[in-house]
Amino acid sequence: SGNFFLLAGPCAIEGEEMAMVIAEKIVAITNRLEIPFVFKGSFKKANRSRIDSFTGIGDEKALKILKKVSQEFDIPTVTDIHEVSDAAMAAKYVDILQIPAFLVRQTDLVVAAANTGKVVNLKKGQFMSPESMQHAVKKVTDSGNDKAMITDRGTMFGYQDMIVDFRGIPTMKQYAPTVLDVTHSLQQPNQSIGVTGGRPEMISTIARAGIAVGADGLFIETHFDPANAKSDGANMLDLHHLEKLLKDLVAIRKTINHL
Amino acid sequence: SGNFFLLAGPCAIEGEEMAMVIAEKIVAITNRLEIPFVFKGSFKKANRSRIDSFTGIGDEKALKILKKVSQEFDIPTVTDIHEVSDAAMAAKYVDILQIPAFLVRQTDLVVAAANTGKVVNLKKGQFMSPESMQHAVKKVTDSGNDKAMITDRGTMFGYQDMIVDFRGIPTMKQYAPTVLDVTHSLQQPNQSIGVTGGRPEMISTIARAGIAVGADGLFIETHFDPANAKSDGANMLDLHHLEKLLKDLVAIRKTINHL
Amino acid sequence: SGNFFLLAGPCAIEGEEMAMVIAEKIVAITNRLEIPFVFKGSFKKANRSRIDSFTGIGDEKALKILKKVSQEFDIPTVTDIHEVSDAAMAAKYVDILQIPAFLVRQTDLVVAAANTGKVVNLKKGQFMSPESMQHAVKKVTDSGNDKAMITDRGTMFGYQDMIVDFRGIPTMKQYAPTVLDVTHSLQQPNQSIGVTGGRPEMISTIARAGIAVGADGLFIETHFDPANAKSDGANMLDLHHLEKLLKDLVAIRKTINHL
Amino acid sequence: SGNFFLLAGPCAIEGEEMAMVIAEKIVAITNRLEIPFVFKGSFKKANRSRIDSFTGIGDEKALKILKKVSQEFDIPTVTDIHEVSDAAMAAKYVDILQIPAFLVRQTDLVVAAANTGKVVNLKKGQFMSPESMQHAVKKVTDSGNDKAMITDRGTMFGYQDMIVDFRGIPTMKQYAPTVLDVTHSLQQPNQSIGVTGGRPEMISTIARAGIAVGADGLFIETHFDPANAKSDGANMLDLHHLEKLLKDLVAIRKTINHL
């Protein structure tokens, strides 16, 4: 359709019902707007600031829910992996393996993901330049897998803020299809309470700029009740605002396609 | 027309002929595209890295050329001032007084500009947050002048790079009409040779993002022969590319206006 | 004596009595410790965040107090200038003309200071690399004045923090004697209330590191009652702590001198 | 002895002979200077920029060399781990398990290291504030291990530079003994060739500042032939310069101890 694609879903799989409800709503919206949709959910949160943060409902249990979502709605799914042994396990259930930003320099993990033959979504480290992502992509292609993609989730800007460098999108598109992770890019890390903050009022701003500069896809964490979500509540998009946001973005994309 | 406005012209007024040629070409383009146009030119370059850099052809001589451009093409003009005494002098010749980014914290200069009754274009310091620009605007309004505007020209990102924080545009629009200075935002300062570099291949990327997030205007330095310009050659737009750039931006703006 | 020198005093000259009291106390301390001392005070605060901040008691009035301090205690003085016309005026009263960090790229101002024949103290812009300060020094020497010095007052690190790059001190010592401005380096700019914050509990840390890496001098703003000072209260050193701080630094300096 | 301690050795264990030679030389120096010494060597390099970079000689083989160094010279050793399963394996051979900076937010890895009962050396992420390291330490203590230590290896400063925030050392000492990693702090990442650069001429500057502000220990990668080392050649210290460097630092430490 010439449209951008969308990776979206809750931060973490908190249970089957919430996953199904969220997937159903996003499927309905993306069908209306003709946006290719990949359901996103983490089976485990491995890099929380504090040891008492929620980390998941059980790995296989969460992965099976992702599989069920995929079958129920006939859509691909994506989840993030954190150890080499996660790669083969997760590959049994999902279509895209995502390498978290903190881990994208771990060669073994990237190669393990590549070796599954699945699409590998490489998140740009907050500490990396757009140009340096070519080396991460090369680790995938050197493993015989040509299905790498890149996702930008913002860059460190002082201790307690992140910034999106929009020059990075055309730069990284030279290496692989490039996605803008709208919600994580608006995080405000290193807050004194040990819980990451966010600026969700800026979601529309960052998303519009991303589409305008040619992002191939968007990544959006969304929940029907962000304030009560078990992780990343501070920067998920309220699901009720998703359709209006996407509708506006589709209009910009159509304009861009004709320039 | 619902369109964005454009501040454009050469970095420095190098002489009457070049000013007239550049103005004529931009007037033709902006008339075709129905873009309100303000001709920009510095009468003096006061903050060069090196003492042997070009600083100007003479203050009054350059200001008179700006006046002539204004009369010949019936368009407003803008120039930047650097000392309190510049304000009254420049106000005799131009319509908008611009406070350079390095100087926007100098209260006397801002107040002197405000007291002329002219429009005051406050450039955001490379070291300032978008939020802190409200204090600069307030210095203008507290002087009885309600014609402040703000221009973002990028923010320091390490010693040798600048970055545009697109969250700043909706933030600063709360205080005053907000312009994105596309060409200076792409500077690469502190290069070892003492001459600022640039990334002109990113002009279209930055400009599209700016219009997509609602910038009221754009600021673009342009020259028919950037490589031989006497200042800022590394990041001015080649005038031959201006019409295509603006045409694309008008299309995005029209789409945005209907969202 | 092989010791470092000290530029110290209140942020602003608020009146004769406070200037004399502060000078007298610092003179006594620096005499005991054999530290060459330059009394510092601003005759005008020109770059405040807000228009309603204190800006001074009158230019000539404040300059005359600086002169009186100089004569009374037989010590040199330093003050900062903001416009070309300030240079000749201030040179009549003080020994060192200081170019503020925001203004160090203003060629006319640097040259005007150099032309007085006084020592010129160039503050490194928060947006500048240590290496780029060589161009500022060259503007002084190209004006026939070989008495430039450099002061580092920290570098922008995100919107609301500053950081000292200690690699900069040996780098800048290649160009001119280099001072570390301990108190301004600990500012926290762009706070939402429009008043700059600070971290005075880190003064000793930053000062010790500066002496350990070979700074030629230190710059410390100090006041007998920082909480009630009319500017920069958030980061001035309480005068009661000055002697202990300097005593420790002299011990480090003596050790360094023998390595 | 009141002295700082030293973690030092080559970046990677390239073979038994080089490990023994380097250990022997450092032991001789640190014995003379009464510096408690921990031999450092990576058994595996897991996070290289490029897939074709050297990653190691074999995990167990390298770990056995570390054990042999420990027995031969009666000194403790430290190595870094990258996956949960590395923790128990490495704990059989070394005394301190180090969590790499990129991985310090991975809760499972930190807990696995803590559960071995060994000392856990937590490297501050380049993207983390000093304050946020308290949460990493807490993951260790909450696992029933009170032997956490912290190592600062610099903070991201633009894409291609790192900076040491010396305010972080007293801050992190509130949570655990704090080490300054002198050589990695001088890295220049994200270089276009995909190999990290460095500024080894600044080693003495950074080390002196670290000792002056009270670092409990230093971490220095050193090699008798940095130019031909298989990793991090750009920023290791030439072993021939180690004794002079340490001797100077001991003098500063002794001075600091008496303040």
Side-chain angles (χ1 to χ4, degrees):
Chain A
S1 69
N3 223 335
F4 59 88
F5 57 90
L6 177 69
L7 283 63
C11 179
I13 300 295
E14 301 171 15
E16 182 175 322
E17 195 188 336
M18 65 82 78
M20 286 294 175
V21 168
I22 293 173
E24 185 179 24
K25 286 182 193 291
I26 306 177
V27 165
I29 294 167
T30 52
N31 279 348
R32 280 195 288 276
L33 296 171
E34 296 182 71
I35 295 172
F37 169 47
V38 181
F39 182 77
K40 183 268 163 182
S42 293
F43 68 89
K44 180 178 184 174
K45 303 308 299 178
N47 60 352
R48 311 307 300 274
S49 301
R50 307 198 329 190
I51 201 171
D52 59 354
S53 298
F54 172 79
T55 58
I57 59 171
D59 293 356
E60 297 265 348
K61 188 174 171 194
L63 287 165
K64 280 177 182 157
I65 293 170
L66 282 164
K67 187 74 182 173
K68 192 162 178 187
V69 167
S70 176
Q71 291 168 331
E72 184 84 8
F73 299 103
D74 193 23
I75 52 174
T77 57
V78 56
T79 201
D80 42 332
I81 63 172
H82 305 85
E83 291 245 334
V84 166
S85 58
D86 290 347
M89 175 179 66
K92 289 188 284 179
Y93 299 98
V94 302
D95 305 280
I96 304 180
L97 298 179
Q98 179 169 290
I99 309 297
F102 290 151
L103 301 181
V104 73
R105 287 284 299 274
Q106 307 305 313
T107 304
D108 285 356
L109 185 64
V110 172
V111 169
N115 286 342
T116 66
K118 298 284 177 177
V119 177
V120 180
N121 184 22
L122 301 156
K123 286 209 152 180
K124 186 185 85 64
Q126 298 90 331
F127 44 85
M128 286 172 72
S129 67
E131 287 77 9
S132 64
M133 285 301 293
Q134 68 188 285
H135 305 296
V137 170
K138 197 158 184 301
K139 291 176 186 176
V140 177
T141 52
D142 283 356
S143 303
N145 181 329
D146 62 356
K147 287 178 285 185
M149 51 190 269
I150 300 173
T151 297
D152 191 340
R153 46 93 74 245
T155 299
M156 183 190 188
F157 184 65
Y159 289 130
Q160 299 185 322
D161 200 10
M162 306 203 72
I163 199 164
V164 179
D165 182 355
F166 285 92
R167 298 171 303 182
I169 292 177
T171 299
M172 294 188 292
K173 282 178 72 175
Q174 297 174 280
Y175 318 133
T178 298
V179 173
L180 178 59
D181 176 346
V182 175
T183 43
H184 286 101
S185 294
L186 290 165
Q187 284 186 334
Q188 306 224 280
N190 291 319
Q191 300 299 312
S192 54
I193 53 168
V195 174
T196 298
R199 297 188 63 184
E201 80 282 6
M202 286 290 169
I203 287 175
S204 167
T205 294
I206 294 300
R208 287 184 182 194
I211 293 301
V213 305
D216 298 295
L218 293 181
F219 180 111
I220 296 175
E221 286 190 350
T222 181
H223 195 281
F224 44 77
D225 185 9
N228 290 306
K230 293 192 176 165
S231 63
D232 272 9
N235 51 282
M236 276 196 279
L237 176 71
D238 190 314
L239 194 43
H240 304 95
H241 300 145
L242 184 63
E243 183 156 14
K244 166 66 176 150
L245 173 72
L246 291 175
K247 203 171 151 232
D248 291 350
L249 298 173
V250 167
I252 298 173
R253 173 67 172 220
K254 280 186 181 152
T255 302
I256 297 294
N257 283 349
H258 288 94
L259 300 183
Chain B
S1 69
N3 222 335
F4 59 88
F5 57 89
L6 177 69
L7 283 61
C11 179
I13 301 294
E14 301 170 15
E16 182 175 320
E17 194 189 336
M18 64 83 77
M20 287 294 173
V21 168
I22 293 173
E24 184 179 23
K25 286 183 193 291
I26 306 177
V27 165
I29 293 167
T30 51
N31 279 347
R32 280 195 289 274
L33 296 171
E34 296 181 72
I35 297 172
F37 169 48
V38 181
F39 182 77
K40 183 269 163 183
S42 294
F43 68 89
K44 181 178 182 175
K45 304 307 299 178
N47 61 352
R48 312 306 301 275
S49 301
R50 309 200 324 194
I51 202 172
D52 59 355
S53 299
F54 172 78
T55 57
I57 59 171
D59 295 355
E60 297 264 348
K61 188 175 172 193
L63 287 165
K64 280 178 183 157
I65 293 171
L66 283 163
K67 187 74 184 173
K68 191 161 179 189
V69 167
S70 175
Q71 291 169 330
E72 183 85 9
F73 299 103
D74 193 24
I75 52 173
T77 57
V78 56
T79 200
D80 42 332
I81 62 173
H82 304 86
E83 292 246 332
V84 166
S85 58
D86 290 346
M89 176 179 67
K92 289 188 283 178
Y93 299 98
V94 302
D95 304 280
I96 305 180
L97 298 179
Q98 178 169 291
I99 309 295
F102 290 151
L103 301 182
V104 74
R105 288 285 297 276
Q106 307 305 313
T107 304
D108 285 357
L109 185 65
V110 172
V111 170
N115 285 342
T116 65
K118 298 284 177 176
V119 178
V120 180
N121 184 22
L122 300 156
K123 287 209 150 177
K124 186 184 86 62
Q126 299 89 332
F127 44 84
M128 287 172 69
S129 68
E131 287 78 8
S132 64
M133 284 303 292
Q134 67 188 287
H135 306 294
V137 170
K138 197 158 184 302
K139 291 176 186 176
V140 177
T141 52
D142 284 356
S143 303
N145 180 329
D146 62 356
K147 287 178 286 184
M149 52 189 268
I150 300 173
T151 297
D152 191 339
R153 46 92 78 243
T155 299
M156 183 190 187
F157 184 65
Y159 290 129
Q160 299 185 322
D161 200 11
M162 307 203 70
I163 199 164
V164 179
D165 182 354
F166 285 91
R167 298 171 303 182
I169 291 177
T171 300
M172 293 188 291
K173 281 177 74 174
Q174 298 174 279
Y175 318 133
T178 298
V179 172
L180 178 60
D181 176 346
V182 175
T183 43
H184 287 101
S185 294
L186 290 165
Q187 283 185 334
Q188 307 224 280
N190 291 318
Q191 301 298 312
S192 54
I193 51 166
V195 174
T196 297
R199 296 188 63 184
E201 79 282 7
M202 288 289 170
I203 287 175
S204 169
T205 293
I206 295 300
R208 287 184 182 194
I211 293 301
V213 305
D216 297 295
L218 292 182
F219 180 112
I220 295 174
E221 286 190 350
T222 181
H223 195 281
F224 43 77
D225 185 9
N228 290 306
K230 293 194 176 164
S231 63
D232 272 9
N235 51 281
M236 277 196 278
L237 176 71
D238 190 313
L239 194 43
H240 304 95
H241 300 145
L242 184 63
E243 183 156 15
K244 166 68 174 147
L245 173 72
L246 291 175
K247 204 171 149 231
D248 291 350
L249 298 174
V250 168
I252 297 174
R253 173 67 172 222
K254 280 187 181 149
T255 301
I256 298 293
N257 283 348
H258 288 94
L259 301 183
Chain C
S1 69
N3 223 334
F4 59 88
F5 57 89
L6 176 70
L7 282 62
C11 179
I13 300 295
E14 301 171 14
E16 183 175 321
E17 195 189 335
M18 65 82 79
M20 287 294 173
V21 168
I22 293 173
E24 185 178 24
K25 286 183 193 292
I26 306 177
V27 165
I29 294 167
T30 51
N31 279 347
R32 281 195 288 276
L33 296 171
E34 296 182 72
I35 296 172
F37 168 49
V38 181
F39 183 76
K40 183 269 163 184
S42 293
F43 67 90
K44 180 178 182 174
K45 304 306 300 178
N47 60 351
R48 312 306 301 273
S49 301
R50 307 198 327 192
I51 201 171
D52 59 354
S53 300
F54 172 79
T55 58
I57 59 171
D59 293 356
E60 297 264 347
K61 189 176 172 193
L63 286 166
K64 279 177 183 157
I65 294 170
L66 283 163
K67 187 75 185 172
K68 193 162 178 188
V69 167
S70 176
Q71 291 169 331
E72 184 84 11
F73 299 103
D74 193 23
I75 52 173
T77 57
V78 56
T79 201
D80 42 332
I81 62 172
H82 305 85
E83 292 246 332
V84 166
S85 57
D86 291 347
M89 176 178 68
K92 289 187 285 178
Y93 299 98
V94 302
D95 305 280
I96 305 180
L97 298 178
Q98 179 168 291
I99 308 296
F102 291 151
L103 302 182
V104 73
R105 288 283 298 274
Q106 306 305 312
T107 303
D108 285 357
L109 184 64
V110 172
V111 170
N115 286 342
T116 65
K118 298 283 177 177
V119 177
V120 180
N121 184 22
L122 300 156
K123 286 208 152 179
K124 186 185 85 64
Q126 299 91 332
F127 43 86
M128 285 172 71
S129 68
E131 288 78 8
S132 64
M133 285 302 292
Q134 67 188 287
H135 306 296
V137 170
K138 196 157 186 299
K139 290 176 186 176
V140 177
T141 52
D142 283 355
S143 303
N145 181 329
D146 62 356
K147 289 178 285 186
M149 51 189 271
I150 301 173
T151 297
D152 191 341
R153 46 93 76 244
T155 299
M156 182 190 187
F157 184 64
Y159 289 130
Q160 299 185 323
D161 201 10
M162 306 203 71
I163 199 164
V164 179
D165 182 354
F166 285 91
R167 299 171 301 182
I169 292 178
T171 300
M172 293 188 292
K173 281 178 73 176
Q174 299 174 279
Y175 319 133
T178 297
V179 173
L180 177 60
D181 176 346
V182 175
T183 43
H184 287 101
S185 293
L186 291 165
Q187 284 186 333
Q188 307 224 279
N190 291 318
Q191 301 298 312
S192 54
I193 51 166
V195 175
T196 298
R199 297 190 63 185
E201 80 281 7
M202 288 290 170
I203 287 175
S204 168
T205 294
I206 294 300
R208 287 184 182 194
I211 293 300
V213 306
D216 298 294
L218 293 182
F219 180 112
I220 296 175
E221 286 191 350
T222 182
H223 195 281
F224 44 77
D225 186 9
N228 290 305
K230 293 193 175 164
S231 64
D232 271 9
N235 51 280
M236 277 196 279
L237 176 71
D238 190 314
L239 194 43
H240 304 94
H241 300 146
L242 183 64
E243 183 157 14
K244 166 67 175 147
L245 173 72
L246 291 175
K247 204 171 150 231
D248 292 350
L249 298 174
V250 168
I252 298 173
R253 173 66 174 223
K254 280 185 182 151
T255 302
I256 297 294
N257 283 348
H258 288 94
L259 301 183
Chain D
S1 68
N3 223 336
F4 58 88
F5 58 90
L6 177 69
L7 282 62
C11 179
I13 300 294
E14 301 170 16
E16 183 176 321
E17 195 189 337
M18 64 83 77
M20 287 294 174
V21 169
I22 293 173
E24 184 178 25
K25 285 181 193 292
I26 306 177
V27 165
I29 294 167
T30 52
N31 280 347
R32 280 195 289 274
L33 296 171
E34 296 182 73
I35 296 172
F37 169 49
V38 181
F39 182 77
K40 183 268 162 183
S42 293
F43 68 89
K44 180 178 183 174
K45 303 308 299 178
N47 60 353
R48 313 306 301 274
S49 300
R50 307 198 327 191
I51 202 171
D52 59 354
S53 300
F54 172 77
T55 58
I57 60 170
D59 294 355
E60 297 263 348
K61 188 174 173 194
L63 286 165
K64 281 177 182 157
I65 294 170
L66 283 164
K67 187 74 183 173
K68 192 162 180 189
V69 167
S70 175
Q71 291 169 332
E72 184 84 9
F73 300 103
D74 193 24
I75 51 174
T77 57
V78 55
T79 201
D80 43 331
I81 63 173
H82 304 85
E83 292 246 333
V84 166
S85 58
D86 290 347
M89 176 179 67
K92 289 188 283 179
Y93 299 98
V94 302
D95 304 279
I96 304 180
L97 297 179
Q98 178 168 292
I99 309 296
F102 290 151
L103 301 181
V104 74
R105 286 285 298 276
Q106 307 304 314
T107 303
D108 285 356
L109 185 65
V110 172
V111 170
N115 286 342
T116 65
K118 298 283 177 177
V119 177
V120 180
N121 185 22
L122 300 156
K123 287 209 151 179
K124 187 184 85 63
Q126 299 89 333
F127 44 85
M128 286 172 71
S129 68
E131 287 78 8
S132 64
M133 285 302 293
Q134 68 188 285
H135 305 296
V137 170
K138 197 157 184 301
K139 290 176 186 176
V140 177
T141 52
D142 284 356
S143 303
N145 181 329
D146 62 356
K147 289 179 285 186
M149 51 189 270
I150 301 173
T151 297
D152 192 340
R153 46 93 75 244
T155 299
M156 183 191 187
F157 185 65
Y159 289 130
Q160 300 184 322
D161 200 11
M162 307 203 70
I163 198 163
V164 179
D165 182 355
F166 285 91
R167 299 170 304 181
I169 291 177
T171 299
M172 294 188 291
K173 282 178 72 175
Q174 298 174 280
Y175 318 133
T178 298
V179 174
L180 178 59
D181 176 346
V182 175
T183 43
H184 286 101
S185 294
L186 290 165
Q187 283 185 335
Q188 306 223 279
N190 291 318
Q191 300 298 312
S192 54
I193 51 167
V195 174
T196 298
R199 296 189 61 184
E201 80 281 8
M202 287 290 169
I203 287 175
S204 169
T205 294
I206 294 301
R208 287 183 181 194
I211 293 301
V213 305
D216 298 295
L218 293 183
F219 180 111
I220 296 174
E221 286 190 350
T222 180
H223 194 282
F224 44 77
D225 186 7
N228 289 306
K230 293 194 174 163
S231 62
D232 271 9
N235 52 282
M236 277 197 279
L237 176 70
D238 190 314
L239 193 43
H240 303 94
H241 301 145
L242 184 63
E243 183 156 15
K244 166 67 175 149
L245 174 72
L246 292 174
K247 202 170 152 235
D248 292 348
L249 298 173
V250 168
I252 298 174
R253 174 66 173 221
K254 280 185 181 151
T255 302
I256 298 293
N257 283 348
H258 288 95
L259 299 184

